[in-house]
Amino acid sequence: MRVVVLTGAGISAESGVPTFRDARGLWEGHRVEDVASPEAFQRQPDLVHRFYDERRAALTRVQPNAAHRALACLEQQLGSRMLVVTQNIDDLHERAGSRRVLHMHGKLRSARCTACGTRLDWREDLAHRPACPRCGERALRPDVVWFGESTLGMGQVESALSRADLFVSVGTSGMVYPAAGFVRIARLFGARTLELNLERTPGSELFDEARHGPAGSLVRAWVQDLLARRPAEVEVTRE
Ligand code: BJW
């Protein structure tokens, strides 16, 4: 069996990471569009840097939860037949033990120089405009994908979706493309589709099945169920 799991902010909510479209607003009352677009960065770079610096620092205070661990456990069984495509920029999947993780919206612990294009592992703040170690320009930005920018790894994602037997969406509102369109692609290529989310989403009806509740218990139950099936069923691989 080949499985593609798309994850969003909801999977990290039980670890204490805020989601984007929560009723309380994302951060200090800002909407996501006010802090996650190139226009926002151009208009208010200090504000945008502070938003990402705070989230980067907060990573040291959060831990993976049962949902991240269950996906890592499934990967141990399925190996290269499983891919986690995450919209999240935290590193909780990796810290839970997953190795096959594609960060389509970039990573918090990475910085990119807008002068020379270098990508760097980055743990420090950026608001004080540190110099790029490669070219010396003070032009580092968070290595994340904002609205209007190209998402990462789409060739690999489309290839995995086209071969998947099962597509599972976990903890995402399905409001942001291209991730919101993956369920249609997976269905087109014949995969069964399952949504695991706290509540119904605008796209719930596109899935063959939707289960609602906290990701920690939903994902753990789904993985246990899958692994309890006859091994032959989990072994089935599409031509
Ligand atoms: C729980 C839970 C618990 C809570 N357990 N669940 C086609 C049509 C229309 C527009 C477009 C289109 N194609 C592209 C666009 C434009 C745009 C877009 O989608 N706009 C929409 C507003 C419509 N997309 C783009 O610009 C993308 N680029 C692109 O496509 O390039 C080519 C192109 C450009 C322009 C035009 C056409 C083509 C890039 C999108 C980049 C998104 N970036 C962000 C910020 C990343 C950095 C950062 O983290 O700061 O990504 S925005 C933000 O939204 C972030 C997230 O990854 C993303 C998705 O949010 P997510 O994860 O779904 O979170 P929430 O909060 O929305 O939902 C959480 C869910 O969890 C909820 O449902 C809760 O119920 C649930 N939940 N607790 C289980 N315990």
Side-chain angles (χ1 to χ4, degrees), residues 155-237:
Q156 193 186 337
V157 174
E158 279 160 22
S159 160
L161 288 174
S162 70
R163 290 181 295 146
D165 299 290
L166 181 59
F167 170 75
V168 186
S169 169
V170 182
T172 175
S173 60
M175 311 269 275
V176 176
Y177 287 84
F182 291 171
V183 58
R184 287 191 176 86
I185 299 175
R187 284 185 71 132
L188 202 66
F189 283 99
R192 183 173 164 71
T193 56
L194 169 67
E195 178 181 63
L196 303 177
N197 200 62
L198 190 62
E199 57 201 0
R200 284 188 68 77
T201 67
S204 290
E205 278 161 23
L206 297 171
F207 290 81
D208 294 314
E209 188 186 351
R211 300 180 194 166
H212 301 123
S217 49
L218 282 187
V219 177
R220 198 169 38 188
W222 166 66
V223 168
Q224 278 171 359
D225 182 44
L226 196 67
L227 294 179
R229 288 186 198 177
R230 287 178 296 122
E233 202 172 331
V234 177
E235 289 298 327
V236 168
T237 306

Side-chain angles (χ1 to χ4, degrees), residues 7-11 13-14 19-22 32-33 36 51-52 55 87-89 105 144-151 171-178 196-199 201 213-216:
T7 65
I11 197 170
E14 285 159 80
T19 62
F20 288 92
R21 293 168 185 83
D22 189 275
V32 60
E33 296 79 8
F51 172 57
Y52 286 97
R55 289 171 68 195
Q87 299 169 86
N88 299 342
I89 61 175
H105 290 167
V144 301
V145 178
W146 288 324
F147 286 111
E149 296 183 325
S150 296
T151 45
T172 175
S173 60
M175 311 269 275
V176 176
Y177 287 84
L196 303 177
N197 200 62
L198 190 62
E199 57 201 0
T201 67

Side-chain angles (χ1 to χ4, degrees), residues 82-102:
M82 172 160 173
L83 178 67
V84 172
V85 180
T86 188
Q87 299 169 86
N88 299 342
I89 61 175
D90 65 48
D91 57 357
L92 295 178
H93 283 300
E94 288 86 347
R95 281 157 60 190
S98 288
R99 292 292 165 265
R100 295 181 46 77
V101 184
L102 193 153

